[in-house]
Amino acid sequence: MIYWGGNPAECHPRHFTKYSLTQKGKFIPNGRKDRTMVLVDIRETPSAKAADLFLQIRPGKDFEVITALRAIIKDQPVNPKSVAETGLTVEQLQDLVKQMKAARFGIIFFGMGLSMTRGKHMNSAGVLMLAAEMNAFTKFVAMPMRGHGNVTGSDMVMRWSTGYPFGVNLCRGYPRFNPGEYSTVDLLVRGDNDAALILGADPGATMPQPGIDHLARIPTIVLDPKVTHTSRISRVHITTAATGVSAPGTVYRMDEIPLPLRPALKSPYPTDEEVIRRIREAVAKKPAWRPSPNGQMAIV
Amino acid sequence: MTLSIVKNATCTFCGCVCDDIELHAEGEKIVKTKGACSLGESWFKHHTAERLYPDALIDGKPATVDHAVEAAANYLYDANMPLVYGLSNITCEAQREAVFLAEIIGGVIDSHTSL
Ligand code: SF4
């Protein structure tokens, strides 16, 4: 079990005990004792205490380490000098590969420390390739450590409704997918959008400043249980019930298992679902548009 | 005030989505959680059903939900390339509505995954 660029001890406190590390299973009757846990990170976080092996790499060198590992599993030569630049030695990587191959079922959990540093999407792609290639030797999978509650659900819903998991452009009336072009940060920083609907997120607190400036320039609409930073720069804010606390529905766990919510409170506010449906119905009453050949919207 | 107990409640603070939590609710507040970690516990206790905020705001001024829905629909309809973003803290049912809305306004829909 490899955790890469994540700190579950602090960010996903029950990950070890409920799902991954200490649970007993049919083929691992002794739970923790039957598992090997490796942590790869740039810093020794509290999660390192739980690990059998902690590999500290230099910041921004994830992609190089992944690439070296992919070469070593196939017995290809690697340059010890370039490996040394990552903060590890070839021997450490060879030892890791030996343990990976000896596993009956391996998993790489990768966190934001991997997917948000230098390399970004390419790092995630590298880990997925590494896991795929490990299947020539033993069963191996990779799984992202998801931060927000139902971010997995949004991947799922968009996947089965548009064919793509995120960053889907429907401007032409059919879905197009291109991370980096249709991803929010890039769109907002370039100033491409001329309106925004923000659902249960607070980009006004987390986006790069040019993105926030753009949100303040265009009509922004926020649906949130609280008046957020983004609400303050928006034209319209609608308060909604808090998902899971007072709004019912379904959410996906990070391993793509759908779970029902059991709200304990009754909110005085409508749910997100209800408000979005009402906005959708209000839009649907207006004449429909379709894209015309010159790229402009035509009303039909 | 009566105490109501919800067993096997689901925490959505982080991606683990633990579904074995016991919640004790009193009126508008969750007063006790069993099984949740410290992050989950503070999350549950933090969200109350009190009316702390106005129903809606238009240009920073309190408004009714009806007016706000109408204003939102107009802005989104008039835009050439509206963005629908977030989706990570809402239910799948709401996400489905959001995809439908994004389609009829001809927009881009994106979540925290792209970060
Ligand atoms: S109880 Fe803790 S680990 Fe479980 S979903 Fe909530 S925050 Fe995450």
Side-chain angles (χ1 to χ4, degrees):
Chain A
M1 215 157 74
I2 304 173
Y3 283 93
W4 198 310
N7 179 10
E10 284 182 317
C11 303
H12 298 83
R14 296 185 67 202
H15 202 269
F16 290 151
T17 52
K18 192 156 157 41
Y19 307 110
S20 52
L21 191 61
T22 57
Q23 285 283 341
K24 295 187 169 109
K26 190 170 172 193
F27 300 105
I28 23 176
N30 302 320
R32 177 68 183 96
K33 282 198 212 82
D34 290 341
R35 289 195 181 90
T36 309
M37 177 189 155
V38 181
L39 180 74
V40 185
D41 210 338
I42 54 166
R43 195 164 0 93
E44 191 167 344
T45 62
S47 301
K49 274 200 227 74
D52 298 303
L53 173 66
F54 171 58
L55 297 175
Q56 184 162 13
I57 59 173
R58 294 220 179 100
K61 291 287 176 195
D62 300 81
F63 189 77
E64 285 78 352
V65 179
I66 297 164
T67 313
L69 284 173
R70 285 178 60 197
I72 293 172
I73 61 172
K74 282 173 271 183
D75 290 322
Q76 287 165 353
V78 288
N79 182 344
K81 265 237 252 8
S82 1
V83 172
E85 279 173 24
T86 65
L88 300 177
T89 61
V90 180
E91 289 68 42
Q92 279 177 304
L93 293 184
Q94 276 164 344
D95 173 59
L96 176 60
V97 165
K98 210 156 86 212
Q99 296 196 44
M100 285 165 74
K101 287 188 179 174
R104 274 183 297 169
F105 180 10
I107 183 161
I108 309 171
F109 291 108
F110 56 102
M112 308 255 265
L114 177 79
S115 52
M116 307 239 319
T117 43
R118 179 177 157 265
K120 291 205 169 173
H121 304 299
M122 294 313 290
N123 289 346
S124 315
V127 162
L128 297 174
M129 287 301 292
L130 174 63
E133 287 165 359
M134 273 303 294
N135 278 274
F137 308 96
T138 183
K139 182 173 165 150
F140 232 92
V141 296
M143 190 189 289
M145 294 288 283
R146 309 317 292 273
H148 297 269
N150 199 20
V151 63
T152 312
S154 68
D155 289 8
M156 299 298 287
V157 171
M158 277 195 258
R159 240 148 67 187
W160 56 250
S161 55
T162 70
Y164 304 109
F166 62 91
V168 183
N169 186 342
L170 298 156
C171 275
R172 288 190 188 162
Y174 59 87
R176 289 180 297 157
F177 174 64
N178 193 9
E181 186 176 7
Y182 308 139
S183 23
T184 302
V185 181
D186 306 273
L187 286 169
L188 290 178
V189 169
R190 282 198 309 263
D192 281 356
N193 299 108
D194 53 353
L197 173 65
I198 310 295
L199 304 168
D202 196 6
T206 53
M207 284 269 148
Q209 194 58 39
I212 300 175
D213 292 343
H214 189 65
L215 279 177
R217 244 187 328 262
I218 60 174
T220 296
I221 300 137
V222 176
L223 266 55
D224 204 279
K226 290 199 175 70
V227 173
T228 61
H229 293 273
T230 320
S231 309
R232 290 200 185 97
I233 56 167
S234 71
R235 304 269 171 90
V236 182
H237 162 92
I238 303 177
T239 311
T240 54
T243 302
V245 176
S246 48
T250 313
V251 297
Y252 273 84
R253 200 163 77 191
M254 63 165 97
D255 54 354
E256 305 189 343
I257 305 292
L259 294 164
L261 295 174
R262 295 192 179 78
L265 303 176
K266 245 186 103 52
S267 173
Y269 303 109
T271 62
D272 294 292
E273 184 190 350
E274 199 181 318
V275 177
I276 303 168
R277 183 183 309 115
R278 288 183 57 190
I279 298 176
R280 198 250 301 156
E281 283 165 356
V283 171
K285 284 206 200 91
K286 300 168 190 287
W289 61 270
R290 68 178 159 71
S292 70
N294 63 10
Q296 298 290 305
M297 304 295 174
I299 306 287
V300 278
Chain B
M1 215 174 280
T2 53
L3 183 75
S4 62
I5 296 176
V6 179
K7 289 215 164 94
N8 295 328
T10 311
C11 172
T12 61
F13 179 77
C14 82
C16 288
V17 189
C18 302
D19 59 341
D20 57 352
I21 292 158
E22 190 177 307
L23 298 177
H24 293 218
E26 225 174 69
E28 297 169 331
K29 284 196 178 103
I30 291 168
V31 288
K32 191 171 160 195
T33 62
K34 267 194 204 160
C37 70
S38 55
L39 294 178
E41 180 174 351
S42 59
W43 181 76
F44 272 121
K45 290 190 174 162
H46 185 68
H47 283 93
T48 64
E50 293 162 303
R51 199 175 255 285
L52 296 176
Y53 303 98
D55 284 342
L57 295 169
I58 298 178
D59 293 323
K61 292 187 197 68
T64 64
V65 175
D66 290 346
H67 282 127
V69 164
E70 202 47 48
N74 288 339
Y75 281 133
L76 293 172
Y77 180 76
D78 290 340
N80 279 320
M81 199 199 197
L83 168 73
V84 179
Y85 171 74
L87 307 174
S88 305
N89 294 314
I90 63 175
T91 61
C92 291
E93 290 79 357
Q95 289 163 348
R96 214 171 112 190
E97 282 294 338
V99 176
F100 194 170
L101 175 64
E103 186 180 358
I104 62 170
I105 57 177
V108 181
I109 181 158
D110 191 24
S111 75
H112 286 100
T113 305
S114 76
L115 282 180

